[in-house]
Amino acid sequence: MLNTEKQSLGDKNGKTVASYRVLPGPEGLLPPAAACCGITLPLEGEGLVEGIIRSEQDTIEEMARQLLTRRNPTIFPGPLVLWAWKDGVTVKADCIMELANEIPGVRIIPMPDYRPIYPKIDPEAVINPCHPNLTIAHNKIEVCVFIGVHCHFANITLKMIRAGTNCYTITLCNEAGHEDSMASLPFCGTDKVEALTNAVRKLKAGGLRPYHADTPGIQLTVAQKAVAAGLKNGN
Amino acid sequence: MSLKTINCSPVFMPYMPKEYLDLINKGPFGKEMKLSQVGSVKELLEEHPMCEGCAMAYFIRMTLIAIPTPEHSVIVGTAGCGRLSLSQAAIPFVYGNYCDTNGVATGIKRGLALRFPEQHKDVIVMAGDGGLADIGFSQVMHSWFRKEKFATIMLDNEVYGNTGGQESGMTRKGEVVKMAPVGKQFEKIDMLSLARASGVAYIARLTITNPARIVNTIRKAILVAREIGPTYVQAYTSCNIEYTIPPEKVMDDARRVEQERYSFVEEMSDAAREYLEKVHNIK
């Protein structure tokens, strides 16, 4: 059955769900918006995994599993958490770093703002919503977390990633969540980020061997290493 | 839209790109930038995809240096060459439709004044001659009639450069451009007179020949617009592609045009003059 075929199925709770599945791509140029294919947003206490509404706890566990078992996990903090523009932001930023510290081999590539970057982007320094696929493809990222990105830019970014890459996208959204990501947690404050961190810890304690088990800690990209060394640019 | 927006969460500092670290540490936010500082500070615009030798890109760079409080400023533009660099500058840029820049700017200015009554928020419309004198003409005029308090800056390259060289209202009579092969049949619109008749508080016309003059003029236009009323700056920013000017000759062309027909003009109302002298000590 094609992803785009519209057909309603029943889930285990008896809810009507669409047959469309939001899976890692590449799905091809201009994939449909998942909302147009019948995918609905989760409510408070729920999450969304590959287009199916699941419980919050199930969603968090699935996110943790994907982050540990896929290649080159990367966190993309957006402007809402990168910049300390209001009280509480630095607390959330600290929570995100706590999560990062639990994922072996993880990288942190920021999305500081949304202005277009032409004629050339440094994909090891930044991700840009005008062409996020460049950063994903260059760094061979197969699972990523978006957090602190304004929803309208997150939506277009997620569609582009699904269109052109095989990256599993996770969104920790402060608002209603994102149909176009493979796993989405709505109304995600510090408590839910901490819950995800704990889920990662639990899986590791349960014996799951992370994909990058031999590369502990957060990895700097070449561009970030260059900046840390006081050089002008990464490449 | 405040200094807080350029404070990085400390834990993310090691991962920030160099350009953003420079903006935080050496950018113009929170301090008024001087032209003499260029080269030693981080400018709002670093890279852009505009053509080699583009006078408009140079003028925009100077304009961005002139903005008194970039952390409290919004630029409104529209389709055309200018937005290619304006949208990449480290300052909020709102892309209006191709006719309503001054209407959009009106809404933003009024909204910001309601939301932040204690803080000046500068709104600056910067668009081409097509965006302001042709397609956006009505909204420009009405914003002036309503005495809306924001600056309107026209990037006058006297042609639709972005779409291949059609004549605009600001193209000179008789000028043959690539997609106007018989030559323009009527006169260049006299926007300065229209601004005058509309009661615009500060009016200026200039070219790119004098960077200090650009910075001073733009700064005055923005400051007067804060308190007194609408302001208008018309800048000759040649399109070296459509007018076939070699990049190294762009400044020569600007000097020639300035001498022949685009001399520096600056007019302001008594209220504007008094405001600049008393409040900002600018003469």
Side-chain angles (χ1 to χ4, degrees):
Chain A
M1 186 163 55
L2 290 173
N3 270 358
T4 48
E5 274 183 45
K6 289 182 179 175
Q7 183 183 330
S8 291
L9 305 170
D11 71 358
K12 62 183 179 184
N13 299 321
K15 282 186 182 176
T16 300
V17 294
S19 61
Y20 184 79
R21 290 289 166 269
V22 185
L23 301 171
E27 196 169 325
L29 190 64
L30 298 175
C36 295
C37 295
I39 307 298
T40 54
L41 288 170
L43 301 174
E44 180 87 59
E46 296 176 334
L48 198 59
V49 177
E50 298 178 1
I52 300 172
I53 290 177
R54 305 259 292 268
S55 72
E56 184 176 293
Q57 192 53 38
D58 283 356
T59 306
I60 288 172
E61 284 172 14
E62 184 60 23
M63 286 175 172
R65 186 178 305 281
Q66 297 290 345
L67 281 170
L68 288 173
T69 56
R70 284 180 175 264
R71 188 185 181 201
N72 293 332
T74 304
I75 295 175
F76 296 125
L80 291 167
V81 292
L82 271 178
W83 304 105
W85 59 284
K86 68 170 186 176
D87 294 341
V89 172
T90 51
V91 177
K92 194 164 188 178
D94 291 344
C95 286
I96 297 164
M97 286 305 289
E98 201 178 327
L99 169 65
N101 282 317
E102 291 299 327
I103 306 167
V106 74
R107 283 176 293 193
I108 296 172
I109 298 179
M111 184 186 278
D113 54 34
Y114 309 124
R115 50 190 169 131
I117 303 175
Y118 296 107
K120 183 175 174 291
I121 186 179
D122 181 350
E124 294 189 11
V126 73
I127 183 166
N128 187 266
C130 300
H131 32 59
N133 48 326
L134 300 182
T135 297
I136 302 275
H138 175 88
N139 295 293
K140 299 179 173 61
I141 295 165
E142 293 186 4
V143 59
C144 69
V145 177
F146 283 96
I147 184 163
V149 180
H150 289 84
C151 289
H152 52 300
F153 277 105
N155 283 340
I156 194 163
T157 300
L158 291 164
K159 272 187 69 180
M160 267 189 271
I161 293 172
R162 201 164 96 243
T165 78
N166 64 342
C167 183
Y168 191 99
T169 50
I170 294 170
T171 49
L172 302 178
C173 179
N174 202 49
E175 307 293 337
H178 294 273
E179 309 97 333
D180 285 297
S181 63
M182 276 108 242
S184 185
L185 206 54
F187 312 108
C188 185
T190 52
D191 54 336
K192 293 186 186 178
V193 179
E194 282 167 1
L196 178 57
T197 308
N198 290 331
V200 170
R201 287 184 183 129
K202 191 176 167 188
L203 278 178
K204 288 194 295 185
L208 179 72
R209 181 176 164 75
Y211 188 100
H212 294 284
D214 300 328
T215 350
I218 302 168
Q219 300 297 303
L220 293 179
T221 65
V222 173
Q224 290 167 346
K225 283 178 188 167
V227 173
L231 303 177
K232 189 175 184 312
N233 216 323
N235 51 347
Chain B
M1 285 297 289
S2 89
L3 278 174
K4 282 184 179 177
T5 58
I6 51 157
N7 284 330
C8 185
S9 295
V11 292
F12 289 130
M13 281 292 266
Y15 310 99
M16 288 298 275
K18 173 73 174 156
E19 187 190 353
Y20 291 88
L21 291 174
D22 284 349
L23 276 172
I24 295 167
N25 298 321
K26 301 175 193 169
F29 304 108
K31 47 190 177 280
E32 198 164 283
M33 204 171 152
K34 293 178 182 145
L35 186 62
S36 57
Q37 291 175 294
V38 169
S40 61
V41 294
K42 172 72 176 169
E43 293 177 48
L44 292 172
L45 180 63
E46 185 170 90
E47 291 187 340
H48 60 76
M50 295 173 80
C51 305
E52 183 187 2
C54 178
M56 193 183 287
Y58 174 75
F59 179 81
I60 288 171
R61 183 183 173 200
M62 293 299 116
T63 299
L64 293 172
I65 290 165
I67 293 175
T69 49
E71 66 277 13
H72 294 298
S73 301
V74 178
I75 295 176
V76 183
T78 188
C81 296
R83 50 90 190 174
L84 292 171
S85 55
L86 288 170
S87 61
Q88 290 194 207
I91 191 167
F93 174 73
V94 177
Y95 196 134
N97 284 320
Y98 210 175
C99 72
D100 64 8
T101 45
N102 282 45
V104 170
T106 299
I108 293 172
K109 180 68 185 185
R110 291 188 187 189
L112 290 172
L114 286 172
R115 174 68 180 81
F116 303 101
E118 306 298 322
Q119 174 66 54
H120 284 298
K121 298 284 183 182
D122 296 322
V123 175
I124 304 146
V125 170
M126 208 176 337
D129 43 313
L132 296 178
D134 290 353
I135 306 169
F137 180 73
S138 167
Q139 301 239 0
V140 170
M141 295 304 297
H142 278 269
S143 72
W144 289 349
F145 297 155
R146 294 192 306 265
K147 302 289 181 285
E148 300 291 348
K149 291 181 178 174
F150 58 82
T152 302
I153 301 169
M154 180 193 287
L155 306 163
D156 180 16
N157 60 3
E158 303 187 324
V159 70
Y160 284 87
N162 202 219
T163 48
Q166 296 82 8
E167 67 179 41
S168 81
M170 298 299 280
T171 304
R172 287 188 307 152
K173 185 178 182 182
E175 199 74 60
V176 174
V177 282
K178 288 177 184 166
M179 290 203 185
V182 298
K184 192 176 171 206
Q185 302 293 304
F186 54 94
E187 297 288 344
K188 180 181 175 91
I189 299 173
D190 187 357
M191 286 296 284
L192 295 182
S193 294
L194 289 167
R196 215 171 280 131
S198 309
V200 170
Y202 178 90
I203 302 166
R205 182 181 74 180
L206 75 172
T207 70
I208 59 165
T209 56
N210 185 336
R213 181 185 285 161
I214 298 173
V215 171
N216 290 338
T217 304
I218 298 294
R219 194 162 284 167
K220 284 181 198 170
I222 294 170
L223 292 174
V224 169
R226 277 185 187 172
E227 290 283 353
I228 308 299
T231 60
Y232 174 62
V233 177
Q234 181 179 309
Y236 173 73
T237 55
S238 65
C239 177
N240 58 317
I241 301 299
E242 296 307 330
Y243 280 94
T244 324
I245 307 165
E248 69 275 13
K249 299 287 184 191
V250 164
M251 201 58 89
D252 292 342
D253 169 75
R255 287 192 196 98
R256 182 184 58 78
V257 170
E258 185 177 70
Q259 280 184 353
E260 291 176 1
R261 61 184 176 85
Y262 224 101
S263 57
F264 179 59
V265 171
E266 185 182 57
E267 300 168 17
M268 65 185 94
S269 66
D270 292 342
R273 192 180 306 280
E274 190 178 347
Y275 170 73
L276 286 175
E277 286 179 2
K278 286 194 176 169
V279 180
H280 295 284
N281 200 24
I282 297 174
K283 292 183 180 173

